[in-house]
Amino acid sequence: MRVLNKWIQKEPSKNAITILKDRYFLKDGEGNYLESTWDEVAKRIARHVAAAEVNYTNDIEEIKNAEEHFYQLIKSRIFLPNSPTIFNAGKTMDRQLFKKDIEETTLEDYKTIFDSRTKHNMLSACFVIPMDDSMSAIFDAVKNAALIMKYGGGVGYDFSVLRPKGSSIAGTGGKSSGPISFMHVFNTAASTIEQGGARRAAQMAVLRYDHPDVFDFINSKKDNKGNNVLNYFNISVNIDNPKEFKKMLEEDGDLTLEHPASSIRKTIKANDLMNKMVENAWKTGDPGMLFLGRHNQYYAMSEHTPVTATNPCGEEPLPPFGSCNLGSIDVAKLVEDMDLGNPNSPDISEFQEIVYWAVRFLDDVIESNIYPLKEIEEISKKQRFIGLGMMGLADALYKKELPYNSEQARKFMAKLTAELAYFSHVASTELAKERGNFPDFQRSKYPNGFIPFPMLDDEIDEDIKVWNEKIRQHFQGEATKYKRNVQTNTIAPTGSISNLADTSSGIEPNFLLSYVRYMTNKEGDRVPLSYINPILMEKIGTNMTEELKAEIIEKGSIQNIDSIPNEIKKIFVTSMDIPPKDHLLAQHVIQSYLDASCSKTINMPKSSTIEDVKAIYLQALELNLKGLTIYRDGSLETQVLTSSSQE
Ligand code: UDP
């Protein structure tokens, strides 16, 4: 593929290599590096995942063809799988099998790779673990979660099933200590685990808005200074029906807090709940809101296995014991040569091909994955969740000279996501024809012509109308018979992999145009990684004096630099330059074409008031969102990135 060839030649930056070395290159038992180049990593992942094709064919050429496509996608960094796939593929296996040239690799080699997989080869980033309202079930869940986190997966839980604090316990005659006390147990367990030997564990706690302990839940991270209280948790309040809740707020209605396993009942004002959520979110960013009713509306298996929580960053709703492996296409690289989002683009088949191979890769990961629990393996193989998304959106917009906070950019985002969703679903249908439907297909909503996302109105744009028509035809036609994966699209934060790809993360605007990022290496030393956005560097060209560079590094944004022309300022906006409502609208248009969800933070300036935060929370209840996370600048002490002036 033409565009892959161009990027295969480009080596990762110095920053990317530093991260690879610290977190991703394989090491032996004594800590000696077994790898030293990106090429070796790409080959290892491609071969490990392609080995899953032995389940479908004995034709060695077909398997090699798959490996070659996977290798090109990864080596070019046009597509990267989630971190666990990068650091766990091929781990603890015979190195010689990965060193052979592809020409010399035999069918036996692929079979050996497939058969020698062990618990170390856990490849997914996202899990949801259920618990029952009993001591043994809670501690089973702690153990299950620990196993997942150990190998690099993030875990979400619905704590709503636990009876509220103070409820009677029949067996002991005592009183329950409530869901928040148990969250601390999970938090402590997580604190002892270093994921894949490389990073912190991450968890999501969900609680229903009408659980009697909801105020304790909302307050559970109130005193968080970033590193002390429940620091291995994000917390989200589940409001099943956001429009109904909004009505309750407008009518200043009462809300009854109750739980099926308890006699505790409290009546509160819905507005008091909202105000508390907003106040705490203003202080620390937590809690977020989650709309599981909407998730289930667009989930093809909700009638049998409704989703109950999301993974830690909120982009992947899953049923109990669900898992999902993610991958992201770097659209910033592609926009240089492709007219993405345009349904009449002459190179559209090339993008379709990239998406096909990315979907096939993620579908193969389901087979080549080793699951931490048999319950997880069962549902993951019955429904076959995959999450293909994108990274590099902000850099793509810089290259296309579209300000992130403009109507034009939003149309581009919608068309691009529609195109990605359409081709992903077409690929999943093609794979189903070759490999069979996901086993639960007949019980799902797909045979009835179900469309797994809301879509935007036809009227807003001619191209959107074209994508909508293609999507409708697909889901009313072939998709009623063939679907390999229950869900296909998720947009991850890509917090680490976007650095490997030297691109902006996920669908977020750039947080800063330049920064010094401190990475703590294995020895515990803080290593500075300095960065200035390369697209901006190129745009300013020879006018980029050393003095100007220093000023950009100092400020992180260019909005208050007089010597930079207004046209450039308009395009090169950062998270904090963008009004919160434009963050929300970007999330809305992108979410309209996602069957799963996306990771997005609504960044707000430090000066925002509690009322400003409330306005965003209220707007989120109205739009077609599946959740909301806000972050007010400076509200947590451990902000991940800071411009150099703040360091
Ligand atoms: N995740 C995790 N720990 C981390 C970062 C991520 O468990 O420190 C999981 C979590 O489920 C998150 C998902 O990985 O939602 C994807 O995160 P991201 O895209 O940032 O990961 P990357 O693949 O870039 O490492």
Side-chain angles (χ1 to χ4, degrees), residues 214 242 342 347 414 543 566 570 574 592 647:
V214 69
N342 173 1
D347 44 33
N543 292 332
N566 277 339
K570 256 196 195 158
T574 64
S592 299
E647 255 298 318

Side-chain angles (χ1 to χ4, degrees), residues 82-83 125 152-154 195 199-200 202 311-313 315 492-497:
N82 53 211
S83 283
Q195 289 195 323
R199 57 183 189 174
R200 275 166 50 110
N311 68 326
C313 305
E315 71 273 17
T494 71
S496 301
I497 62 167

Side-chain angles (χ1 to χ4, degrees), residues 1 9 98 134-135 142 147 179 182 272 321 390 431 444 552:
M1 286 181 264
Q9 318 300 330
F98 295 88
S134 77
M135 213 41 131
V142 173
L147 290 176
F182 289 110
D272 289 344
F321 291 120
M390 63 172 108
L431 286 175
S444 79
I552 297 172

Side-chain angles (χ1 to χ4, degrees), residues 180-194:
I180 289 79
S181 67
F182 289 110
M183 281 167 60
H184 286 275
V185 177
F186 284 84
N187 195 67
T188 307
S191 72
T192 65
I193 296 162
E194 209 192 357

Side-chain angles (χ1 to χ4, degrees), residues 103 138 174 211 313 399 644:
E103 291 79 33
I138 295 168
H211 189 288
C313 305
K399 287 182 184 172
S644 60

